[in-house]
Amino acid sequence: MGPGSQKKYRDYLSATFGEAVTEKLITQNRAKPVALAKYQRPASLVTNVWPAAPLTRAGARGRGRISG
């Protein structure tokens, strides 16, 4: 399991246990003190989804214009 998945699972468990503590179903949130390694989301591999050249060609033909 990757670090992103670990963070998501921990966040979910912590929120769920926190709610259970609020409703007095349990006495403490056991997921809160769990320490995970720092996780930084990787940068996107796609930097430019709509390249300029096809848009200018579409605009020259009168199709594919986006109004707004």
Side-chain angles (χ1 to χ4, degrees), residues 33-68:
V34 174
L36 297 175
K38 291 283 184 185
Y39 173 70
Q40 184 175 1
R41 190 175 188 169
S44 174
L45 297 177
V46 179
T47 55
N48 190 0
V49 177
W50 298 101
L55 289 178
T56 56
R57 282 182 289 178
R61 290 192 307 260
R63 289 182 263 150
R65 292 187 185 161
I66 299 173
S67 61

Side-chain angles (χ1 to χ4, degrees), residues 3-54:
S5 295
Q6 289 176 0
K7 183 179 180 330
K8 285 180 187 177
Y9 285 126
R10 182 200 169 270
D11 291 346
Y12 176 77
L13 286 172
S14 184
T16 304
F17 287 162
E19 192 172 321
V21 168
T22 302
E23 295 178 12
K24 305 222 183 315
L25 300 174
I26 58 176
T27 57
Q28 62 182 1
N29 185 346
R30 296 282 185 172
K32 206 173 218 180
V34 174
L36 297 175
K38 291 283 184 185
Y39 173 70
Q40 184 175 1
R41 190 175 188 169
S44 174
L45 297 177
V46 179
T47 55
N48 190 0
V49 177
W50 298 101

